[in-house]
Amino acid sequence: SISAMLPTATVGGSVKAAFDGDLTSGSALNVKALGANIATARAVVADISVIGGSGANSSATITADADTSALIGNNASVDVSGAVVVDALSTMNKADADTGGGSGGLINAAGMLASASVGGGTYARMDGDVQNSGSVTVHARGTNVADADALTVSISIINGAGANATATVTSDADVEATVASTGQIRSSGPISINATSVDTAMADASGGVGGAVSIAAMLPTATVAGGTKALLDGDVLSGTQLDVQAQGTNTATAHSVVANVSLVGGAGARSTANITSDADVEALVGSNASVNVTGAATVKATSTLNKAYAEAKGGTGGVLAAIAVMLADSKVGGGVRASFDGGLANVGSLSVQADGKNLSETKTLVVGIGALAGAGSGAVAEVTDQADVSATVGSTGSINSSGAVLVKA
């Protein structure tokens, strides 16, 4: 007999707040979007038969359409005495897939798959004209979690078992706060453009087999590819201070445990954790920007931690022959960049800073026991050449400052 389950959960709806008209007088303008998306898929399956198998594939997806966005459009004109706020907040975008099961009998196989993917972005954007204000805030904050777990067990005379867990925060899950090239800001107070993200991908594939002849394989993969960006590319015609800041925390963790007890058998696992080059943290003042503030201007990009961790543990015991191979691969490729490429007509001081912390770590443990036994492992941990930390004032940058200028990475 054969048993199979295929649960699927998908979230694709967006949340949007937008203002694109004229506000000729008022005390304040608030454009706020609040989103939270949860997709959960779970399966448990079992098969006991003379000849048979069991399989399940749980899929949880938050699609690229599930954005949370707050916008002041390019047709907007705003004149208020107080605060102008554009705020997009994704309190939690979480995709959770969990698959477990097994099989037993004379000849059996079990295969468990789990896939969790987060693709919804978080965007705060100001494209219009703020004629007057007490302060201007453009903030985007997002938390994205992809969690995939697969567990499989098979006990038969002849059998095989496999588990594959894939957790991904995709490159569509960006968090961005932007004042576009069409944006103009006049304020009697501070201007803040801030993007903050926390992205986490966790994949776990574990299991075991027992029998006369048996094979087990586990393949977890965790990937973070969402970027974080704060960008000023428009004009700040007046204000007391300017802050353009981006903060990002990225964690990818892949874990596997596999065991095989048989007369003749093998066990293998490969754990892969990857923070890609798309997962940059950037604070930027673009070449179209012109800034005039009486106080300090700060452009700062901070990666509190980019961590990729892959772990593979397992072994095999065979009365006659056994082989076990454990592989772990972790990679960090996301960079941190602060850049000023615009014009500073007047400023009290300028600080352009980038601060990054990268950790790539692997761990393997392998055991092989038998009359004819072999065991091997391989581990690769890498921080790639794309994970640069840089602070620059570009060739198009022009600065007129009455105080200090600091460029630091």
Side-chain angles (χ1 to χ4, degrees):
S1 63
I2 296 175
S3 301
M5 297 185 69
L6 302 170
T8 299
T10 303
V11 176
S14 64
V15 177
K16 183 177 183 179
F19 180 89
D20 201 25
D22 294 336
L23 180 57
T24 56
S25 66
S27 61
L29 173 62
N30 290 281
V31 182
K32 296 185 176 183
L34 175 63
N37 299 308
I38 307 293
T40 303
R42 303 190 186 282
V44 178
V45 63
D47 178 81
I48 299 175
S49 59
V50 176
I51 300 175
S54 62
N57 185 353
S58 299
S59 177
T61 304
I62 298 172
T63 74
D65 295 323
D67 292 337
T68 299
S69 60
L71 169 70
I72 293 180
N74 58 11
N75 295 310
S77 178
V78 178
D79 189 333
V80 295
S81 59
V84 175
V85 177
V86 184
D87 187 13
L89 171 61
S90 295
T91 58
M92 178 63 72
N93 288 328
K94 184 175 183 180
D96 188 358
D98 193 348
T99 305
S103 64
L106 179 62
I107 301 174
N108 279 90
M112 304 298 151
L113 306 177
S115 175
S117 176
V118 176
T122 306
Y123 305 100
R125 187 176 177 96
M126 214 286 288
D127 292 348
D129 189 357
V130 178
Q131 298 283 347
N132 184 56
S133 65
S135 63
V136 175
T137 300
V138 182
H139 279 193
R141 294 163 289 165
T143 300
N144 301 307
V145 178
D147 189 356
D149 298 282
L151 173 67
T152 182
V153 177
S154 180
I155 300 174
S156 303
I157 302 300
I158 299 174
N159 68 80
N164 187 335
T166 303
T168 307
V169 178
T170 77
S171 59
D172 292 312
D174 292 333
V175 177
E176 297 184 355
T178 304
V179 175
S181 60
T182 57
Q184 289 191 337
I185 296 173
R186 296 172 179 86
S187 181
S188 60
I191 296 103
S192 175
I193 304 163
N194 186 284
T196 302
S197 71
V198 179
D199 291 341
T200 305
M202 299 175 290
D204 189 307
S206 298
V209 293
V213 178
S214 56
I215 297 174
M218 309 297 148
L219 301 170
T221 301
T223 303
V224 172
T228 308
K229 181 189 291 185
L231 170 64
L232 169 64
D233 203 30
D235 294 334
V236 175
L237 301 177
S238 62
T240 58
Q241 69 181 56
L242 171 67
D243 288 303
V244 181
Q245 298 199 41
Q247 302 91 28
T249 301
N250 299 314
T251 306
T253 303
H255 175 264
S256 61
V257 176
V258 60
N260 182 344
V261 179
S262 59
L263 294 177
V264 177
R270 178 162 189 164
S271 298
T272 304
N274 189 18
I275 297 173
T276 77
S277 58
D278 292 315
D280 291 336
V281 179
E282 298 175 293
L284 311 173
V285 175
S287 59
N288 294 309
S290 177
V291 178
N292 187 342
V293 294
T294 57
T298 300
V299 183
K300 187 173 183 180
T302 304
S303 173
T304 55
L305 182 62
N306 279 336
K307 181 179 179 179
Y309 178 73
E311 181 180 73
K313 296 181 179 180
T316 183
V319 176
L320 299 178
I323 187 169
V325 178
M326 304 296 142
L327 303 174
D329 183 8
S330 66
K331 185 178 294 184
V332 174
V336 182
R337 183 162 69 102
S339 177
F340 186 92
D341 295 300
L344 271 177
N346 181 61
V347 69
S349 63
L350 172 64
S351 173
V352 182
Q353 297 186 64
D355 184 11
K357 297 179 181 178
N358 298 314
L359 176 61
S360 184
E361 184 178 0
T362 57
K363 184 181 292 185
T364 59
L365 174 65
V366 61
V367 177
I369 301 173
L372 295 174
S377 66
V380 177
E382 181 183 6
V383 177
T384 76
D385 58 4
Q386 294 175 310
D388 292 336
V389 179
S390 66
T392 61
V393 174
S395 60
T396 58
S398 175
I399 301 168
N400 181 11
S401 176
S402 61
V405 175
L406 173 67
V407 181
K408 181 181 178 181

